[in-house]
């Protein structure tokens, strides 16, 4: 069996869903588990819905629900023309359950409510896709993943209960009742059947979990890019596609901020040596990128750009050296505010940490640090990471940049820079 993952962009319109059907026709005999995200930008829209709901902004909530409904209705009208089709009714009923849920009063816990509401995006998208595929003769079973993937109750960042999920998943996905299953990414549930989510962009991770548990031959993530590129075309001209990358390289690229693959996705695949293909849903006949247990000698340098960085310099008030007890306090504050460290370096008298400028979090963190330390910081910086760097790649990214800090580790270099003048 194999696992396919279709993200939001690959199912953002009626045509896009039809294209999913065309892709599946290329695999007429394969056993496939299809993991799908919410359609288009629906998860962002659902986050707004949660926010209106939680803060009881009734008017805005109503409008946002209406917009989500219209968006999905547009797709459904395209896929199932004519109001007689039974799916229209099914959709109305299902959407109604969400509206009823949003008519209640919110509970105290924001993250809990988030996880009860945002996954409607995935539920609706899989219902539409499953019904459409059945309609065009690609028989499949719609599957509620919450019955099989079990997690703890850390809402919005739930941790999978692997032993229990394995047992339940293996029992269900036997392919005796169907050649194809259509199910939701990003979503799981507690043992008490309360819905949880695995963190934004978590659908890739779901695909990897299912592949790991079911021992898939391979996983394919269908994307709107031809594969993994060596840089984000938003920041960089002349990008090249990486044809093959090792699991190790994929983990490092994701870790440093390359947005193609969710960092958590690789490990479950690597542990079972399951190949991952990143392919274009626009040109499914093309090779894409293979991520696997690979070795290669031609190392293509990759570039990762993290914008809007802040470099914080922390030194003790009493001019003591940065010692273990200070470090404990410092890390404690980062943990408390949930701020990810992008780079750090300590010298005898100061500790420097680069973070992304999430304004509220960064402000609160710095306020806390200032209680115990002397703190200075610089904003408006860029963090550039180059994997497999050499002097020419450094020169290339340093054009018109002033170097603030540089750190090398094996094949990686990280440069904190600011625009010149
Ligand atoms: N729909 C979720 C999100 O947008 C999960 C995913 O697409 O991976 O974050
Ligand atoms: Mg995605």
């Amino acid at each position: 069996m194999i696992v396919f993952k279709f993200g939001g962009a690959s199912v953002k319109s009626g045509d896009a869903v039809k294209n999913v059907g065309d892709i599946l026709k290329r695999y007429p005999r394969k056993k496939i588990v299809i993991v799908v995200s919410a359609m288009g930008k629906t998860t962002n829209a659902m986050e707004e819905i949660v926010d209106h709901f939680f803060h009881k902004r009734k008017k805005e909530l109503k409008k946002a629900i209406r917009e989500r409904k219209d968006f999905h209705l547009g797709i459904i009208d395209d896929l199932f023309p004519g109001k007689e089709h039974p799916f229209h009714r099914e959709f109305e009923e299902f959407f109604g359950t969400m509206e009823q849920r949003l008519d209640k009063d919110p509970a105290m816990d924001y993250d809990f409510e988030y996880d009860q509401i945002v996954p409607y995006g995935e539920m609706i998208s899989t219902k539409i896709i499953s019904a459409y595929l059945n309609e065009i003769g690609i028989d499949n079973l719609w599957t509620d993943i919450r019955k099989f993937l079990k997690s703890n109750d850390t809402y919005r960042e739930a941790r999978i209960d692997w032993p229990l999920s394995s047992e339940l998943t293996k029992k269900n996905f036997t392919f005796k009742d169907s050649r194809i299953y259509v199910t939701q990414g990003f979503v799981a549930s507690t043992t008490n059947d309360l819905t949880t989510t695995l963190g934004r962009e978590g659908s890739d991770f779901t695909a990897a979990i299912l592949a790991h548990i079911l021992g898939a031959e391979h996983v394919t993530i269908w994307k709107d890019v031809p594969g993994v590129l060596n840089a984000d075309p938003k920041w960089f001209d002349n990008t090249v596609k990486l044809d093959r990358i090792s699991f190790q390289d994929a983990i490092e690229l994701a870790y440093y901020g390359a947005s193609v693959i969710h960092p958590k996705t690789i490990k479950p695949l690597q542990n079972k040596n399951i190949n991952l293909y990143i392919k274009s849903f626009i040109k499914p006949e093309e090779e894409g990128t293979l991520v696997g247990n690979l070795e290669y000698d031609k190392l293509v340098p990759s570039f990762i750009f993290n914008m809007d960085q802040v470099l914080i310099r922390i030194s003790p008030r009493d001019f003591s050296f940065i010692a273990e007890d200070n470090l404990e306090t410092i890390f404690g504050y980062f943990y408390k505010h949930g701020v990810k460290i992008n780079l750090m370096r300590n010298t005898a008298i100061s500790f420097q940490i680069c973070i992304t400028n999430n304004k509220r979090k960064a402000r609160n963190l710095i306020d806390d640090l200032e209680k115990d330390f002397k703190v200075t910081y610089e904003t408006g910086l860029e963090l550039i990471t180059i994997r497999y760097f050499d002097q020419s790649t450094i020169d290339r990214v340093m054009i018109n940049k002033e170097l603030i800090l540089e750190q090398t580790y094996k094949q990686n270099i990280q440069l904190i820079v600011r625009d010149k003048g």
Side-chain angles (χ1 to χ4, degrees):
M1 56 85 57
I2 59 178
V3 177
F4 279 176
K5 184 260 173 168
F6 289 97
S10 66
V11 292
K12 67 175 183 201
S13 64
D15 282 342
V17 175
K18 290 176 191 167
N19 183 53
V20 169
D22 291 339
I23 289 177
L24 288 170
K25 285 182 195 148
R26 305 169 65 88
Y27 301 83
R29 270 175 290 279
K30 276 275 179 216
K31 294 173 178 157
I32 313 176
V33 175
I34 302 175
V35 174
V36 192
S37 306
M39 292 177 150
K41 302 266 177 249
T42 292
T43 301
N44 291 347
M46 293 304 296
E47 287 188 339
E48 279 175 29
I49 286 179
V50 171
D51 210 63
H52 294 320
F53 170 68
F54 195 78
H55 295 111
K56 301 190 181 161
R57 294 188 291 261
K58 296 257 188 262
K59 227 174 81 201
E60 289 89 341
L61 177 63
K62 211 169 148 201
K63 182 162 170 271
I65 295 174
R66 186 70 243 174
E67 272 172 25
R68 256 329 82 189
K69 189 163 184 185
D70 289 344
F71 168 78
H72 287 100
L73 280 175
I75 295 175
I76 292 167
D77 286 342
D78 192 1
L79 297 174
F80 309 97
K83 284 285 171 212
E84 324 68 59
H85 195 285
F87 187 73
H88 288 277
R89 219 206 146 106
E90 200 185 313
F91 172 76
E92 286 296 334
E93 275 170 19
F94 187 74
F95 204 88
T97 62
M98 178 176 109
E99 287 172 311
Q100 278 164 20
R101 181 68 179 73
L102 290 167
D103 213 26
K104 290 192 194 160
D105 276 335
M108 294 300 285
D109 181 11
Y110 195 97
D111 293 348
F112 169 78
E113 288 294 6
Y114 181 105
D115 278 6
Q116 307 320 302
I117 295 163
V118 172
Y120 275 101
E122 270 71 16
M123 292 297 155
I124 296 169
S125 95
T126 49
K127 290 217 178 228
I128 295 174
I129 289 158
S130 170
Y132 172 73
L133 294 176
N134 279 327
E135 181 79 12
I136 61 165
I138 302 178
D139 293 346
N140 69 90
L141 264 191
W142 180 85
T143 304
D144 185 343
I145 202 63
R146 295 174 296 188
K147 291 191 189 143
F148 312 108
L149 288 189
K150 292 293 169 182
S151 72
N152 71 355
D153 62 358
T154 310
Y155 295 106
R156 296 181 73 172
E157 276 301 334
R159 291 179 73 102
I160 290 292
D161 177 337
W162 283 89
L164 181 56
S165 301
S166 289
E167 189 192 320
L168 296 170
T169 299
K170 277 185 192 146
K171 256 191 222 147
N172 181 64
F173 293 86
T174 57
F175 297 94
K176 288 196 188 109
D177 35 9
S178 182
R179 177 177 74 85
I180 297 178
Y181 296 87
V182 173
T183 196
Q184 307 79 31
F186 172 59
V187 181
S189 86
T190 66
T191 42
N192 302 329
D193 298 327
L194 293 166
T195 307
T196 56
T197 63
L198 308 176
R200 282 303 304 265
E201 303 296 327
S203 291
D204 292 3
F205 185 41
T206 303
I209 296 167
L210 294 176
H212 177 104
I213 292 175
L214 297 170
E217 285 162 53
H218 57 80
V219 175
T220 302
I221 297 180
W222 297 94
K223 295 198 71 103
D224 55 1
V225 287
V228 178
L229 305 177
N230 75 327
D232 185 337
K234 202 158 68 182
W235 312 118
F236 207 69
D237 297 332
N238 308 318
T239 53
V240 292
K241 178 174 75 81
L242 305 171
D243 297 332
R244 298 151 46 86
I245 46 180
S246 65
F247 286 122
Q248 189 58 36
D249 275 343
I251 288 172
E252 296 221 13
L253 292 175
Y255 174 79
Y256 288 118
S259 56
V260 255
I261 313 169
H262 192 283
K264 283 193 273 189
T265 306
I266 304 298
K267 264 286 159 198
L269 301 178
Q270 183 180 23
N271 288 356
K272 287 229 173 146
N273 214 348
I274 297 168
N275 282 342
L276 167 65
Y277 294 90
I278 316 282
K279 282 168 74 107
S280 160
F281 59 74
I282 304 153
K283 295 187 171 152
E285 64 288 352
E286 287 186 0
E287 288 257 315
T289 295
L290 165 61
V291 182
N293 190 359
L294 303 167
E295 281 175 33
Y296 32 74
D297 32 46
K298 196 171 146 275
L299 305 172
V300 181
S302 292
F303 301 82
I304 299 149
F305 297 84
N306 289 290
M307 300 309 188
D308 204 9
Q309 301 292 297
V310 192
L311 184 63
I312 307 177
R313 290 196 180 81
I314 304 162
S315 41
R317 286 243 169 73
D318 56 4
F319 299 103
S320 66
F321 293 108
I322 285 277
E324 284 73 11
D325 51 344
N326 287 328
L327 292 180
E328 189 184 341
T329 314
I330 294 170
F331 286 134
Y333 286 137
F334 277 81
Y335 180 71
K336 173 178 161 195
H337 294 287
V339 175
K340 181 177 177 282
I341 296 174
N342 295 338
L343 174 154
M344 64 185 172
R345 167 136 97 198
N346 66 323
T347 66
I349 51 155
S350 85
F351 195 58
Q352 306 185 53
I353 300 185
C354 179
I355 63 168
T356 304
N357 195 1
N358 171 328
K359 295 217 164 43
R360 190 175 48 81
K361 273 192 192 176
R363 187 66 258 165
N364 294 343
L365 169 72
I366 290 170
D367 284 347
D368 260 353
L369 287 168
E370 280 175 337
K371 289 183 197 154
D372 298 304
F373 303 97
K374 185 165 162 269
V375 181
T376 60
Y377 60 92
E378 258 180 276
T379 58
L381 304 175
E382 267 171 53
L383 171 63
I384 305 172
T385 305
I386 312 174
R387 181 150 175 80
Y388 302 129
F389 69 99
D390 59 17
Q391 193 53 48
S392 73
T393 54
I394 297 174
D395 293 345
R396 185 170 169 190
V397 298
M398 283 306 297
I399 297 168
N400 279 325
K401 305 280 183 197
E402 175 197 345
L403 184 65
I404 309 288
L405 195 151
E406 151 184 347
Q407 184 154 288
T408 321
Y409 178 68
K410 291 192 183 164
Q411 302 104 319
N412 302 327
I413 191 166
Q414 294 197 285
L415 306 157
I416 298 182
V417 301
R418 86 156 55 249
D419 277 335
K420 261 188 202 158

